[in-house]
Amino acid sequence: MPEVSSSEVVIIGGGVIGAAIAYYLCKEGAEVMMVEEDDLASGASGACDGFVSLQTKQPGVHLDLARESVALFPELAEDLDDDIEYNPCGGMMLATMPEQLKELKARAKKMKAAGLEVEMLTPADLKSRLPEVGKEIKGASYCAQDAQVNPIALTLGLARKAQDMGAIILRGTKVENIVVTNNRVREVHTSSGSIHSRRVVCAAGTGSNQIGKMIIVDIPVMPQRGQILVTEPRERMLDVILYGAEYLGTKGGITELMPRDEEAAKLGLGFTAEQTASGNFLLGSTREFAGADASTTPEAMNAIAKNAMYYLPWIKELDVIRSFAGLRPCSPDGLPILGTVKGVKGFFIATGHSGDGICLAPITGKLLSELILDGETSLDIEPFSLYRFK
Ligand SMILES: Cc1cc2nc3c(=O)[nH]c(=O)nc-3n(C[C@H](O)[C@H](O)[C@H](O)COP(=O)(O)OP(=O)(O)OC[C@H]3O[C@@H](n4cnc5c(N)ncnc54)[C@H](O)[C@@H]3O)c2cc1C
């Protein structure tokens, strides 16, 4: 990059959110530079599951946003040159206790009233639809609109397509400061030079807090660690994404669904399983506040493996080949932070997607593109404003 360059829009962060915004902006013909301090998908977007999940969202603005996003996946899968392994396979939430089943039934009713296709399945139904499940499983809620995608392929696919449409992607380049004069963003200082721009987007995941400080705005995003085990590949056995009811408990803070076991509660353990297109199983996951530490721990690996065998006894036959941990960019209420900042014209925020960023990336990209280029959005984003926390 020359020492001083310019761009109509600068996006900070090369995760799925930055890549989605770049893609939708480029589709509208905007001139875009994306600045990533490490590499594309080096943050949470490259260390996560690929659940495109609707039944885990709260009815209301959360679910509405997710539905708009899920509706965009088929056309993305068509338009991107990379195979993003989008699979509209449906999702099952398994209950192991009568209280959990009761709670899932109540949620299914609310979801159905909100127009989502959610049905309850008995253990007999599960027998015909899943490989053997643990004998404690009391039933499940099933949502046919849940899906899966390869999150790394999605991030890289969006970024590559944006690049083909003209976006410049600066890897290994850290944003160090943002110059604001007369209440307007003017320049972005990076580790390899300055970029003149009147429009800057913060899509920096867990780095968003630091970016906010550069313009003296508090962006309340905290890293929440999630750990995952990866097994050796097998022929296709599981064509559905699976969660345990505790997953909802730890994700949404729903007391009735929290893990009962003390160690599991401490780790924020919630069962998840998916089989990827290459045949590996991803088994998860935890929700821990461990600062910026993205390492895996023996306690969590052990707990995830034990939990996975409880839900899917046959999984013990498979070798674990690796593990990883990612840091979810968590907002105080778990919903994304989208919009503008008072008193700093030209600064936009798209962060805090917590455990939902893969699912919400397409709609985030589309809405931010509208906001940046037209000053208004096709869906009301006021509920996701930074100022809901004040
Ligand atoms: C274990 C786990 C499982 C998950 N499962 C799912 C799931 O199944 N479905 C789902 O929807 N979501 C899931 N998530 C959540 C999802 O991964 C995140 O919400 C999403 O990846 C966030 O994307 P992002 O682009 O905001 O952040 P990131 O992917 O973290 O990208 C931010 C980027 O900004 C860069 N950056 C930061 N500061 C600077 C700077 N100063 N200068 C330049 N670059 C900077 C970083 O290097 C990083 O690459 C999961 C997360 C985890 C950890």
Side-chain angles (χ1 to χ4, degrees):
M1 183 177 72
E3 234 166 65
V4 180
S5 56
S6 69
S7 182
E8 186 184 353
V9 186
V10 171
I11 299 169
I12 309 171
V16 74
I17 299 300
I21 299 168
Y23 167 81
Y24 281 100
L25 278 172
C26 287
K27 274 184 93 89
E28 294 300 318
E31 187 196 18
V32 173
M33 249 189 209
M34 185 158 81
V35 186
E36 165 55 51
E37 71 172 314
D38 190 336
D39 204 346
L40 296 173
S42 60
S45 307
C48 60
D49 292 300
F51 287 24
V52 176
S53 166
L54 286 175
Q55 69 169 310
T56 58
K57 307 298 182 274
Q58 295 308 322
V61 291
H62 194 195
L63 180 60
D64 295 345
L65 189 72
R67 289 169 82 165
E68 295 280 340
S69 203
V70 171
L72 295 170
F73 272 94
E75 66 188 52
L76 270 185
E78 201 52 44
D79 191 43
L80 299 183
D81 299 322
D82 294 55
D83 179 5
I84 61 170
E85 297 169 13
Y86 174 68
N87 179 16
C89 55
M92 280 183 203
M93 173 99 41
L94 304 168
T96 57
M97 286 182 269
E99 312 85 81
Q100 291 179 348
L101 198 59
K102 199 171 147 209
E103 182 64 27
L104 291 190
K105 276 184 188 157
R107 273 183 66 85
K109 219 169 150 187
K110 278 194 216 154
M111 290 293 197
K112 268 200 229 167
L116 202 67
E117 293 165 31
V118 181
E119 57 174 309
M120 294 305 296
L121 302 179
T122 63
D125 298 327
L126 293 178
K127 256 197 178 125
S128 60
R129 297 170 76 153
L130 282 180
E132 186 200 348
V133 292
K135 47 185 186 308
E136 301 300 333
I137 310 289
K138 304 277 183 292
S141 60
Y142 172 72
C143 176
Q145 292 145 292
D146 283 352
Q148 68 178 160
V149 72
N150 178 328
I152 300 176
L154 175 65
T155 308
L156 299 182
L158 287 163
R160 280 188 190 127
K161 192 75 183 189
Q163 204 167 15
D164 289 349
M165 291 186 279
I168 293 173
I169 300 178
L170 305 175
R171 295 172 172 83
T173 305
K174 183 174 177 153
V175 169
E176 293 172 337
N177 203 7
I178 297 166
V179 178
V180 177
T181 50
N182 295 334
N183 299 330
R184 166 167 272 293
V185 166
R186 308 276 169 182
E187 204 171 311
V188 177
H189 290 177
T190 80
S191 51
S192 49
S194 295
I195 310 163
H196 289 301
S197 185
R198 288 163 62 83
R199 295 184 178 97
V200 174
V201 189
C202 172
T206 56
S208 300
N209 209 277
Q210 270 311 108
I211 300 295
K213 285 188 181 138
M214 296 174 192
I215 58 154
I216 320 176
V217 166
D218 179 27
I219 304 178
V221 171
M222 266 182 83
Q224 185 194 54
R225 185 167 66 188
Q227 304 191 41
I228 290 184
L229 287 181
V230 186
T231 74
E232 62 178 318
R234 278 291 159 92
E235 71 289 353
R236 194 83 186 157
M237 296 168 74
L238 193 65
D239 200 22
V240 67
I241 54 171
L242 287 181
Y243 343 72
E246 297 95 350
Y247 171 88
L248 258 191
T250 57
K251 181 177 196 285
I254 304 170
T255 322
E256 296 75 19
L257 297 178
M258 286 292 184
R260 298 292 159 88
D261 176 82
E262 204 182 310
E263 178 65 13
K266 213 170 96 197
L267 288 166
L269 187 66
F271 168 70
T272 57
E274 67 172 315
Q275 189 171 17
T276 65
S278 44
N280 310 80
F281 287 85
L282 299 187
L283 305 171
S285 62
T286 60
R287 288 178 191 270
E288 311 153 76
F289 289 103
D293 180 2
S295 44
T296 54
T297 62
E299 299 77 37
M301 298 294 97
N302 204 15
I304 292 170
K306 219 169 101 189
N307 204 28
M309 290 187 285
Y310 175 69
Y311 280 91
L312 303 174
W314 47 269
I315 208 93
K316 67 174 184 291
E317 304 299 334
L318 303 189
D319 284 336
V320 170
I321 57 166
R322 67 184 183 97
S323 62
F324 61 81
L327 299 175
R328 301 177 184 91
C330 272
S331 70
D333 59 7
L335 301 183
I337 307 173
L338 309 175
T340 52
V341 164
K342 289 177 192 162
V344 187
K345 275 191 215 132
F347 190 84
F348 302 87
I349 305 180
T351 190
H353 289 74
S354 309
D356 298 323
I358 302 305
C359 173
L360 298 179
I363 192 65
T364 300
K366 185 168 182 279
L367 293 172
L368 262 288
S369 160
E370 292 170 357
L371 184 66
I372 293 163
L373 300 179
D374 307 330
E376 55 186 20
T377 51
S378 51
L379 192 82
D380 181 18
I381 57 167
E382 193 52 34
F384 306 105
S385 154
L386 172 67
Y387 299 100
R388 71 184 186 270
F389 302 118
K390 306 288 168 198

